[in-house]
Amino acid sequence: MNLRIGFLTMAVAITMLVTVSTHAQDNSALNPEYQALINQLGNPSYQVRERAHAKLVKVGMSARSELAAALRSPDLEIRSRARRIFVDLMYEDFEQKLQRFIDDVEGKQEHDLPGWNLYQKRIGTTSEDRKFFASMVRAESKVLRAIETKKNLAELLQERVKQLQPYGNYTPSGPRIPQIQSIATVMLGASELTPAERETLVSPVYNLLNYSQIKSQIIDKPDNDVGKRMTREWAEIACQSRSKTLGLMLILNYGFEESGIKVAREMLSNKESFSTSEQYAAICAARFGGVDEVELLIPLLNQQTLVHSWSTPQAGGKLIKTQLRDTVLIMLLHLTKQSPEDYGFKFSRPSPIYVYEVYSCGFTEDKNREKAHAKWKTWWDESGKQWLEKAKAAKAAEKPAEPK
């Protein structure tokens, strides 16, 4: 919502209350000097009206009662200008309040900004944290108030994330792209929901964060950027949902290395059942990890879950099927610096995000798949374990010495 339009709505509501409270007020209680300026708002001379308008803006909220009374004036020009002055004054007061908040890095003052208590606990209180939160207040004050009260929060967040979708907000110049501050407010609010309530937000928030023009607002920022930190935390939360694949894809698309290794290890350790999500966890392990992830992936070489089917003219009309173990094998080849072509992967396509495109890691014939896996087993039994020992020793030698 445009901030000034929001203030206009607030101004109308507030001034109606002020008007009611001052309705019975005797005109003698009004400041004669301010009242004279109010009257000049309806002067036939444009120059006189403009001077009076400027003076009332300078007087500010000290003329609140006179401005409120002016909203009942029979003169349309007086009513209109009084309302505009209220909006300008509220906007200016609001910006001054936010600037005081930003400047108060040591937290010596009290600030009644909605959502701030939750934000400072989850995000922080540095100068940059405060600047980002101030921009959230400008963009999403209504949502922040709902976070503060928790009243109908789940429903409001669902509606707001729907409104933010670019494809649902077309303008003559194209889709309207939401600010990262708006998305961050939704993510902050979601932290107050139950896991079941949060499930409904995982997919639409993924759609927002994966939209190219939104991703460009975040991805090249430094790792300590607030919006990037909140995106990384959301990706980890999404990895704990039923739609964990979306969280893993966010980690890969944004290149969150530390999160990728952490989530991969959590998901792939000591598991008895596997799904298509584990292929993305394996990719995270291969892309962000190293020799330590080799043994993490090896147990998955028995998993025959079908994760992709794909067709290309190169396959001669046959369907290329990728099992989970195929994806794991090609990731192991990447980690052990071997060529997929040597193992019969005819259709593999390198990818800067997924190491190899997930759909390209399969085979048209089961016999070729079995040959590839048999070749790996032979290599591992004859050379792989020794290779791993040497690789770990080399890694240990590269570590800087511990300070004494």
Side-chain angles (χ1 to χ4, degrees), residues 30-53:
L30 301 177
N31 184 304
E33 181 182 353
Y34 299 160
Q35 190 58 47
L37 291 173
I38 293 290
N39 292 336
Q40 290 174 26
L41 293 178
N43 193 283
S45 169
Y46 175 77
Q47 288 77 11
V48 172
R49 295 198 302 271
E50 284 292 292
R51 283 197 298 270
H53 189 122

Side-chain angles (χ1 to χ4, degrees), residues 141-302:
S141 57
K142 179 181 177 181
V143 177
L144 287 168
R145 287 195 297 272
I147 292 173
E148 188 81 14
T149 64
K150 297 184 176 64
K151 184 177 180 181
N152 300 321
L153 180 57
E155 293 81 1
L156 187 145
L157 292 177
Q158 290 170 23
E159 180 60 27
R160 186 61 184 133
V161 79
K162 181 179 178 181
Q163 294 168 350
L164 291 173
Q165 298 299 320
Y167 290 115
N169 289 282
Y170 271 100
T171 67
S173 59
R176 182 180 291 113
I177 309 302
Q179 298 175 312
I180 178 56
Q181 289 83 358
S182 292
I183 304 172
T185 306
V186 172
M187 294 190 290
L188 179 68
S191 68
E192 293 292 277
L193 302 179
T194 65
E197 291 173 328
R198 199 159 47 234
E199 284 286 344
T200 61
L201 297 174
V202 173
S203 180
V205 170
Y206 168 83
N207 291 338
L208 285 171
L209 293 173
N210 202 45
Y211 192 76
S212 60
Q213 289 173 269
I214 295 173
K215 187 159 59 175
S216 65
Q217 298 180 42
I218 308 169
I219 195 165
D220 293 328
K221 295 289 182 66
D223 288 343
N224 63 352
D225 174 77
V226 181
K228 195 167 187 177
R229 282 159 46 201
M230 294 184 74
T231 299
R232 182 172 57 246
E233 290 177 10
W234 175 261
E236 291 188 19
I237 290 172
C239 287
Q240 300 170 13
S241 72
R242 291 195 298 268
S243 302
K244 56 177 70 95
T245 294
L246 300 181
L248 289 161
M249 290 176 70
L250 282 177
I251 287 173
L252 288 163
N253 288 334
Y254 279 88
F256 293 141
E257 180 176 332
E258 186 175 326
S259 296
I261 296 174
K262 171 187 171 185
V263 170
R265 289 174 178 172
E266 289 174 353
M267 289 184 64
L268 301 179
S269 298
N270 305 316
K271 290 208 67 171
E272 296 180 358
S273 62
F274 296 88
S275 66
T276 56
S277 297
E278 275 65 37
Q279 70 169 322
Y280 291 98
I283 293 169
C284 283
R287 177 180 167 189
F288 302 123
V291 294
D292 293 333
E293 276 58 56
V294 171
E295 291 176 299
L296 179 68
L297 294 181
I298 286 178
L300 277 71
L301 287 172
N302 295 321

Side-chain angles (χ1 to χ4, degrees), residues 318-319 363-370:
K318 295 181 179 180
L319 196 62
F363 300 88
T364 57
E365 303 287 346
D366 285 338
K367 63 180 181 180
N368 294 331
R369 172 180 291 109
E370 296 304 331

